Amino acid sequence: MDLCHVPASREKGWYLALMAPNVKGPNYAWLDPSRLYCHPQGLQDCVADLLQPFQGDAIDMVAGIDAMGFILGAAAAASLRKGFLAIRKAGHLCVQTAAQPYSDYSGREKVMEIRADGISPGLRILLVDQWVETGGTMRAAIELVERLGGVVAGVAAICMESSEGGKWIQERYKCSHCVPPHLQPRFDQHQ
């Protein structure tokens, strides 16, 4: 892995080539972006591309979804100079929580939690996750934010697949992702 190479022409999404394909089978996501996070310029450009559509928008806080959304969410919060709120898998927070059941991309039933005092009415939240595949995880996060009176200012992920759930989110919320339009069909088909 060359963590120093930066292409001369850095078009949106150049860093997607840093991701590694799944070699462990169907119980894992089809791509692993963790190598992208190791590349200093790749991570910076990814975060900049994710935040570009929200320039000038009112955002009070960034919330990242457990666990890989913590990386991008914290980087986005730092870039925006905003606070960061972790949306956790159930059972990890030692304070009062609000919970939301959901089905993840693999169809497994899970529960996510957020601190009950983390969002006040009217707070504008940018939701960040690594990937939106079926949309179940992100939709549960949206429901939590809105149930606590927050406003979803936007949704950002490296990739938002054109699944039924992904389309539902994109039709209702301002969204940002890093996949150029000409590559979207390949990502949707996990190629």
Side-chain angles (χ1 to χ4, degrees), residues 27-166:
N27 292 333
Y28 294 87
W30 73 280
L31 270 179
D32 175 30
S34 62
R35 188 168 70 162
L36 183 161
Y37 305 146
C38 296
H39 192 288
Q41 191 64 56
L43 177 59
Q44 288 177 42
D45 288 356
C46 177
V47 170
D49 287 345
L50 284 176
L51 295 178
Q52 193 283 324
F54 302 107
Q55 296 300 312
D57 289 5
I59 295 172
D60 300 312
M61 184 183 301
V62 176
I65 299 173
D66 200 341
M68 297 306 275
F70 293 169
I71 297 166
L72 286 176
S79 179
L80 292 170
R81 297 181 180 265
K82 301 295 179 185
F84 176 79
L85 178 65
I87 299 177
R88 301 294 314 265
K89 293 174 184 150
H92 295 288
L93 293 171
C94 63
V95 295
Q96 289 287 76
T97 61
Q100 180 67 40
Y102 69 101
S103 295
D104 72 3
Y105 68 92
S106 69
R108 290 181 290 211
E109 295 297 319
K110 296 183 176 183
V111 176
M112 69 173 52
E113 294 179 328
I114 192 170
R115 22 177 339 123
D117 64 354
I119 297 176
S120 56
L123 201 68
R124 297 186 53 80
I125 309 292
L126 175 63
L127 286 167
V128 179
D129 202 359
Q130 175 173 276
W131 214 268
V132 174
E133 190 168 342
T134 63
T137 305
M138 185 58 74
R139 191 166 179 171
I142 289 168
E143 290 172 9
L144 270 176
V145 167
E146 291 178 344
R147 184 166 12 116
L148 293 174
V151 175
V152 176
V155 174
I158 292 174
C159 177
M160 296 190 75
E161 294 186 25
S162 299
S163 62
E164 184 179 323

